[in-house]
Amino acid sequence: RFAPIGVFGAISATIGQNGIAILKSYAKLIGITYLSLIAFVILVLVIACKIIKVSFRGILRAIKDPALLAFTTASSEAALPKAMSQMEKFGVPKSIVSFVMPMGYTFNLDGSTLYLTLATLFCAQIAGINLSIEQQLMIMFTLMLTSKGIAGVPRVSLVILTGTLTSFGLPVVGVAILLGIDQILDMGRTTVNLIGNCVATTVVAKWENEFDYDKMKEFVRQSKEESLGHDIQQTIEQIKEG
């Protein structure tokens, strides 16, 4: 309940120190971050599902509740138990789910790596420093290693970002500016982390020839029926109220 007050305070302090013009930079960074996350989902996760012939929409239906929880709380761990349960119902064996999902929260943080790379470029541009393509690629590969294991600690991404900026000789003043919108960005990257781990679990199950396609089809069918029944119920209630 106090989180919105804290976010408001962080944004207010940042605007007070840097002026109202900082909101334009915020809007650009938020837009680019979410566009990058969406592009990653479409170009990597959707294609991975097509290769193994698994319904990506079905996965989204299976994890819609834990994904919503991850988005609203910006906490991957809060959504982990429910996500694991849903992936078992989706057709992934419990032995694979219980091994891949927890490990994925340490080694498969796609959203966090994307965000940290963009945040580093943001901090460099704030200071008026132009990075070459080689430097950008080096930063990305570095963050792929240093971002491992950050999911369990709130705001630790800012610590990783600070260390990366220092290593590449970039000013860390941008970290204080990012503090004002870190919660907003954290919501998106946490959700992508969750979706990526669920897709990875499905891929590993297919790789081990353990994925149950019949169970997946049954789950998708039941989800559609439940969704249709819910829509019909809502329509009936609206007619009664009208």
Side-chain angles (χ1 to χ4, degrees):
R1 293 183 180 181
F2 285 100
I5 299 174
V7 173
F8 174 78
I11 294 178
S12 300
T14 304
I15 293 175
Q17 292 174 1
N18 301 279
I20 195 69
I22 194 66
L23 291 179
K24 185 177 180 180
S25 299
Y26 275 165
K28 288 181 180 180
L29 179 61
I30 293 172
I32 291 173
T33 299
Y34 276 86
L35 283 175
S36 299
L37 293 174
I38 292 171
F40 174 81
V41 170
I42 295 174
L43 297 177
V44 178
L45 301 185
V46 173
I47 292 177
C49 287
K50 287 186 177 296
I51 292 174
I52 63 174
K53 298 180 180 179
V54 170
S55 171
F56 182 73
R57 289 185 179 180
I59 293 178
L60 292 183
R61 285 195 185 98
I63 63 171
K64 62 180 180 180
D65 290 338
L68 180 61
L69 180 62
F71 183 79
T72 54
T73 63
S75 172
S76 300
E77 280 67 22
L80 179 59
K82 181 65 175 179
M84 293 176 67
S85 173
Q86 289 298 100
M87 291 310 296
E88 289 179 34
K89 295 178 182 179
F90 190 70
V92 182
K94 183 177 181 179
S95 58
I96 292 179
V97 171
S98 60
F99 177 76
V100 177
M101 287 285 285
M103 180 175 288
Y105 277 118
T106 301
F107 297 103
N108 187 35
L109 304 174
D110 308 314
S112 295
T113 303
L114 274 171
Y115 161 71
L116 287 170
T117 304
L118 290 172
T120 303
L121 294 178
F122 175 82
C123 293
Q125 291 175 355
I126 283 289
I129 299 174
N130 293 320
L131 299 174
S132 65
I133 297 298
E134 292 79 7
Q135 289 176 310
Q136 293 179 38
L137 290 175
M138 182 61 67
I139 290 173
M140 182 186 70
F141 288 128
T142 301
L143 288 169
M144 288 176 66
L145 296 174
T146 57
S147 64
K148 305 310 177 188
I150 70 173
V153 184
R155 301 294 172 269
V156 75
S157 59
L158 296 178
V159 178
I160 300 297
L161 177 61
T162 302
T164 303
L165 293 174
T166 303
S167 299
F168 285 90
L170 300 174
V172 298
V173 64
V175 177
I177 297 175
L178 285 172
L179 181 61
I181 57 169
D182 186 66
Q183 175 71 16
I184 299 172
L185 299 173
D186 199 2
M187 294 162 70
R189 66 177 182 258
T190 299
T191 306
V192 172
N193 286 341
L194 174 67
I195 297 173
N197 281 314
C198 290
V199 171
T201 303
T202 308
V203 171
V204 172
K206 170 62 177 177
W207 188 7
E208 296 293 324
N209 294 319
E210 295 288 340
F211 186 74
D212 191 336
Y213 283 94
D214 293 332
K215 198 171 182 179
M216 176 193 72
K217 293 176 182 177
E218 179 64 20
F219 181 89
V220 172
R221 184 187 66 81
Q222 290 180 356
S223 298
K224 289 181 178 179
E225 290 179 354
E226 291 175 1
S227 178
L228 179 60
H230 180 69
D231 291 342
I232 292 174
Q233 183 65 31
Q234 282 188 330
T235 303
I236 293 174
E237 291 177 357
Q238 289 175 358
I239 292 174
K240 288 180 178 180
E241 291 176 357

